[in-house]
Amino acid sequence: MPDPVTAPLHVLVAEDEALAAMALEDFLSRKGYRVTLAQDGQEGLERYSADPADLVITDLRMPRMDGRALIRELRIRAAGLPILVMTGFLSMEAGEDDLTADRWQPLVVLRKPVSPQIILDTLASLAQAAKLRPA
């Protein structure tokens, strides 16, 4: 069993664009993270249930279960789970699904395209805020 102090932080990536997901997996793995990929929210939830992640990166628009539904389900399981949303589409209208609402926190939303360094910096910031050790 890995030592929790030295084991890499585990990131679940829910992204339906296969090339983007694989590029992100490769980049984060090279930076010391353990990465699990999911093609949509439903698979992301299944993978999280089988092997809980320390951090989650999700798109909003995905088949079967979208990112908002995934976030709602993850919040039931782990209210303080740090989540990074990367999306090309984001309605800024306030309402029940407003991602800035306190019930969604801790959560950061970045609009695609996003540079790998911004992703890395944002994950480090989320991990620090959640008192996870740095990757």
Side-chain angles (χ1 to χ4, degrees), residues 114-131:
V114 182
S115 81
Q117 189 60 51
I118 297 291
I119 295 168
L120 196 61
D121 293 346
T122 303
L123 285 178
S125 176
L126 282 167
Q128 183 179 26
K131 300 191 180 350

Side-chain angles (χ1 to χ4, degrees), residues 73-118:
E73 291 298 321
L74 289 172
R75 287 288 176 249
I76 292 168
R77 290 159 176 78
L81 179 66
I83 298 174
L84 169 57
V85 175
M86 295 191 321
T87 185
F89 172 82
L90 182 61
S91 170
M92 298 309 287
E93 295 176 24
E96 185 176 323
D97 281 344
D98 180 12
L99 294 175
T100 63
D102 285 344
R103 69 187 180 96
W104 294 104
Q105 304 308 313
L107 181 139
V108 173
V109 179
L110 299 175
R111 191 176 303 267
K112 292 178 181 177
V114 182
S115 81
Q117 189 60 51
I118 297 291

